[in-house]
Amino acid sequence: MAQAPVRIGDLLISKGLLTKKQLNIALIQQRVTGAILGDTLISLGFVTAPEFARTISEQFGLEYLDLRGFTISDEALRLVPKDTARKSGYIPLEIRDGILSIGVTNPSNIVAVDTVRHLTGKPPKVYLVDQDAYGDIIESAYYFVEHPVQQRLEELTSGLKSGGAVPAAIVPELTDLLLMDGIRRQATDIHFTPSKEVLHVFYRIDGVLTYGHCIPRLIQSTLASRIKIMAHLDIAEQRLPQDGSYTLEFLNKKYDLRISTVPSIYGENIVIRVLSTSGALMHISTLGLNAGVVNTLRRLFAKSHGIILVTGPTGSGKTTTLYSCLREIDLLERNVITVEDPVEYRLNFVRQTEVNEKAGYTFASSARTFMRQDPDVMLLGEIRDGETAQIAIRASITGHLVISTLHTNDAVTSIPRLLDLGMDKLLLSSSLMAVMAQRLARRICQHCKEEYAADEAEKALFKKAGMDVARLFRGAGCDRCGSSGYSGRTSIAEVMIISSEIKELIYAGASTGAIFQAALRGGMVPLYVDGLKKVAAGQTTIHEVQRVAG
């Protein structure tokens, strides 16, 4: 007698991705909306689209592929028309040895297999991809194949080399192309840097500035005016710095662009921060943190009161880590309220608000309001001033769990930073529960990864950290990674638990060195050492660890 297939809800529960309570709520909503159970679970935030797809892939014996970290071949996209791929429910990925690889969201999609077999004469290699990534990436992949940005930029700028007036029609299109190219490259920042002869465009990709384009100098002022108009800035004011923002809609996705202008000797230097308003929330176990850190964070976020801080520079993944940890909290039993600038991830059953400086709604004012909203957990996007710090302490000592971020270089230096904001030593020592410092290091590209013998200087670095390593890895550079040798990023971190010894040191006004030694005795693994462990495991390189945590 054939065994009955395991229902997807039961399978998710068995894997620890879903609770029975969550499943029951999803079934209740499904009866109201009539939506598919999987879509309901994802929309409620009980599971992520990648988690659901991975579970389905195991059930059907297919390999799961994360499209977000995969470079799709232009050759494969040109082979299959977009309408054909959309209609048949798949996305072409790459061609190897004459076999086309495709990604499907439905594991039972026989139409896709038949279509590819008819098109190529061979059955395809089939991967399962999640619905969210499929919807985003199939649009952008085909768009950039059909609209080659580099070619169009060269066409627009070629006529400007001889000088003369700048055609008004060129500027809007040129601006849009530069922004689109930044989005295509998944840049977090776009830099417009004027020089004596040309305007240089840089993109910050995986935390590192990458040269993008060289544009004739004569278009610099009109390009700057165009960007300032979009951000509602004063185009006549070129002597003082200005800040603004606007929302760009591109390929059914919204991007929050933060613009900063600074006068320089060759004109206005402009930096645009690119924030996607629909980022994919990650599970804490997929952040790249080591198992010990993950287990520690899970224990911390199960606490009922106290302050937990995540520190690091801008762009180090602090907000992503906080929200991934929020998923460890039972959002059906605990009231979670957040205030952010801006809201980067949207979660069901979490009350989220945004800072509005012009209206007077700041981190400090919102935190005061939160106390009247019956909270169990308060997420403050950042502790920026003494007032916010004081409110965070008061909330924690009255039975609330407060989580926030702070800009410090490591976990230990967060103590003098908080004291500098005016926190009382006694209250700080009694309310602060843990501080986690984090960095993002680039991963070695898996397509050009190669092994090599460590030299004496490298061996000495590991020996100093108590490790004996003879062989290491690096990326040789290939088309997939833009010859950089890196693709994607992983987290390195240190977690300082505020033990009884550290509490006494804080109250006594001890030095950061004394607190650091106490943290080591309490089991903290320093950032640099955690990074070297990632190097030894072949995930990143010594150069990367020294760059972000040296």
Side-chain angles (χ1 to χ4, degrees), residues 157-167 216-219:
T157 57
S158 61
L160 300 173
K161 294 179 182 178
S162 58
V166 177
R217 175 81 166 80
L218 61 95
I219 203 171

Side-chain angles (χ1 to χ4, degrees), residues 244-401:
S245 65
Y246 73 99
T247 300
L248 173 69
E249 292 193 28
F250 179 56
L251 298 176
N252 302 320
K253 200 171 182 179
K254 292 184 178 180
Y255 297 88
D256 186 13
L257 305 183
R258 302 294 179 90
I259 288 82
S260 172
T261 72
V262 173
S264 73
I265 58 175
Y266 294 118
E268 290 183 285
N269 190 83
I270 300 176
V271 177
I272 301 178
R273 168 60 58 87
V274 182
L275 298 169
S276 173
T277 57
S278 56
L281 184 62
M282 301 173 71
H283 193 273
I284 187 173
S285 61
T286 63
L287 296 175
L289 300 168
N290 68 55
V293 171
V294 170
N295 291 333
T296 299
L297 289 175
R298 282 175 170 155
R299 289 197 302 271
L300 288 170
F301 277 76
K303 302 288 186 181
S304 61
H305 63 275
I307 299 175
I308 302 172
L309 296 177
V310 179
T311 73
T314 300
S316 59
K318 299 186 296 295
T319 303
T320 299
T321 297
L322 282 183
Y323 263 94
S324 298
C325 291
L326 274 186
R327 295 191 62 210
E328 301 299 314
I329 295 174
D330 189 341
L331 300 178
L332 300 176
E333 291 188 353
R334 302 176 75 182
N335 182 20
V336 179
I337 306 178
T338 78
V339 57
E340 302 157 74
D341 184 22
V343 171
E344 294 184 38
Y345 301 100
R346 286 164 171 76
L347 282 180
N348 275 285
F349 306 107
V350 174
R351 293 74 177 167
Q352 297 173 272
T353 63
E354 280 189 338
V355 165
N356 189 334
E357 299 281 356
K358 291 182 179 179
Y361 188 62
T362 63
F363 284 115
S365 62
S366 62
R368 288 195 301 270
T369 305
F370 282 1
M371 298 300 290
R372 297 189 290 272
Q373 286 284 310
D374 185 31
D376 295 297
V377 182
M378 295 168 54
L379 187 154
L380 305 178
E382 182 183 346
I383 294 180
R384 295 178 177 175
D385 51 47
E387 186 179 5
T388 307
Q390 294 294 341
I391 293 171
I393 281 188
R394 287 200 293 270
S396 67
I397 63 179
T398 53
H400 304 90
L401 181 64

Side-chain angles (χ1 to χ4, degrees), residues 72 74 77 91 136-146:
I72 296 174
D74 288 353
L77 292 168
I91 181 171
D136 288 342
I137 293 174
I138 192 171
E139 292 296 331
S140 61
Y142 273 104
Y143 180 88
F144 287 114
V145 166
E146 296 166 359

Side-chain angles (χ1 to χ4, degrees), residues 373-428:
Q373 286 284 310
D374 185 31
D376 295 297
V377 182
M378 295 168 54
L379 187 154
L380 305 178
E382 182 183 346
I383 294 180
R384 295 178 177 175
D385 51 47
E387 186 179 5
T388 307
Q390 294 294 341
I391 293 171
I393 281 188
R394 287 200 293 270
S396 67
I397 63 179
T398 53
H400 304 90
L401 181 64
V402 180
I403 55 181
S404 187
T405 67
L406 196 67
H407 287 284
T408 59
N409 290 326
D410 53 36
V412 173
T413 53
S414 62
I415 304 299
R417 170 64 177 148
L418 291 170
L419 293 174
D420 184 58
L421 289 175
M423 279 192 172
D424 180 78
K425 292 178 182 177
L426 176 61
L427 293 178
L428 176 60

